[in-house]
Amino acid sequence: RLEEREAEREEEREKKEERGTERCIGSLEYRGAAILAPMVRCGTLPLRLLCKKYGADIVYGEEIIDRKISRCLRRENVTLGCIDYVDKDDTFGTEYGGAGGGEGESGGAGGKVGAGARRKKDGKRPNVVFRTLPEQEGPVVFQIGTGDAVNALKGAEVVARDVSAIDVNMGCPKHFSISGGMGAALLQKPDTVVDILKTLIRNLSVPITCKVRLLETTEKTLDFMRICANTGISAIALHGRYKEQRSSTPARLADVKAIADAGLSIPLIHNGDVFKYEDIGRLREATGADAVMIARGAMWNPSVFSPTMRPKMEVAKEYLKTALHVDNFAQNTKYTLLRMLEGDEDMEVRHAIQRVKGHEALCEALNLAEYYRLQQATRAAGDKRSYIGLPPTLRPNVDPY
């Protein structure tokens, strides 16, 4: 059996070399990494860029469903210098790319393209399902929601050239995912999981990973994770909670430690209860994991990746500026700001944000009205200073004007 497995892997390597069409954006090194977790609605381009700026080694995008991304066309957005994946039912071929756009509102649902975008013939704006600045935010991992190998490959093939890895979501406990045979439903379908992972590994040149949750016992969790590891994936993330548990329940660090102590052949990433920079090293040691993945801690304050955390309001303003520069969908920006400013100390500002719509009004709520006017005026005048405040490493590579 070992000889058969080795022959199979050699055949897979040869097929990858023959294709050689995809490219890996950014170097992936999981051991010792601090990673931005995939988060529905929040994990769009502005948050990924900001977390990367503050020290995230790897950033994951929000989960996008296989059928949604498989319907997309790749378009180079010449205004923003980014890559957009646009629903092919909402685009107009080679004419796309003359203006900015807004990334998806939630897990694959897609958002409306920004105010400057070219319109379709029916007057509506195209849906941008996934937007990336791969050279600036990389390594970026695309998380796909899927329940079968065929659709997984169809979706992953579309986006693989612009990401560093493809991650399969096997941990989402939401009804939508489970009822569709995706997310945590896969924890009970090891044969399907093997089929999905092996199909992706066999046909793509980028690394494949997956993210799982705890099963009923440590033994069952370890058995499942070893099944995943034996397919040839590059890393596995473990959310230290059962599928029935929510974030209000403390992560089960001892269970994660038991998995790490038992040993896996690939890097183990711990996910759960990382809220400040010091937690990164502390939980890596407490769990024995190779890397730590941060979700809510990064959503509340992206500077959690930095030894010196910045005041939350300061970072919220920086997030809003970044969202402006990458022409993020305003409703998505609003949602993320509201999550970022959770807490009694920011209640007045949160109420102001709740009452308004659009980036201009959001800037007024955060005392950035003058900044917004300057940014819009210089952009309209064709002046590169419309990217004022955006770090040079996050500015587009091309002249958008």
Side-chain angles (χ1 to χ4, degrees), residues 286-308:
T287 62
D290 298 285
V292 172
M293 179 176 276
I294 310 176
R296 289 175 297 152
M299 176 184 67
W300 292 332
N301 192 330
S303 70
V304 68
F305 292 99
S306 170
T308 306

Side-chain angles (χ1 to χ4, degrees), residues 49-173:
L49 288 172
L50 205 52
C51 288
K52 184 66 177 178
K53 173 194 170 183
Y54 278 110
D57 298 299
I58 302 169
V59 295
Y60 280 55
E62 62 170 346
E63 177 200 21
I64 296 179
I65 306 305
D66 51 15
R67 288 183 176 87
K68 184 66 178 180
I69 193 65
S70 66
R71 292 202 306 267
C72 289
L73 297 176
R74 181 184 188 272
R75 291 289 181 260
E76 294 186 13
N77 190 316
V78 296
T79 297
L80 298 176
C82 60
I83 304 298
D84 289 348
Y85 285 86
V86 185
D87 194 310
K88 63 184 178 183
D89 294 331
D90 294 325
T91 190
F92 23 79
T94 57
E95 293 182 359
Y96 185 82
E103 192 178 359
E105 176 186 5
S106 63
K112 298 299 171 58
V113 169
R118 301 171 65 104
R119 293 178 179 268
K120 299 183 296 178
K121 293 181 180 179
D122 61 7
K124 297 181 180 179
R125 294 166 182 156
N127 288 339
V128 178
V129 175
F130 179 65
R131 166 168 290 166
T132 180
L133 277 164
E135 303 298 342
Q136 282 74 31
E137 64 169 321
V140 57
V141 178
F142 182 91
Q143 189 182 66
I144 193 166
T146 187
D148 70 85
V150 173
N151 286 319
L153 182 58
K154 286 181 179 178
E157 282 180 325
V158 171
V159 75
R161 65 182 294 187
D162 292 307
V163 298
S164 301
I166 301 290
D167 182 79
V168 179
N169 183 348
M170 301 183 191
C172 181

Side-chain angles (χ1 to χ4, degrees), residues 257-303:
K257 181 69 162 61
I259 298 294
D261 288 346
L264 291 170
S265 59
I266 58 175
L268 171 64
I269 305 166
H270 164 69
N271 175 213
D273 293 353
V274 185
F275 302 115
K276 55 184 185 292
Y277 179 79
E278 291 73 18
D279 290 340
I280 297 174
R282 180 180 65 83
L283 291 182
R284 191 163 57 225
E285 182 175 351
T287 62
D290 298 285
V292 172
M293 179 176 276
I294 310 176
R296 289 175 297 152
M299 176 184 67
W300 292 332
N301 192 330
S303 70

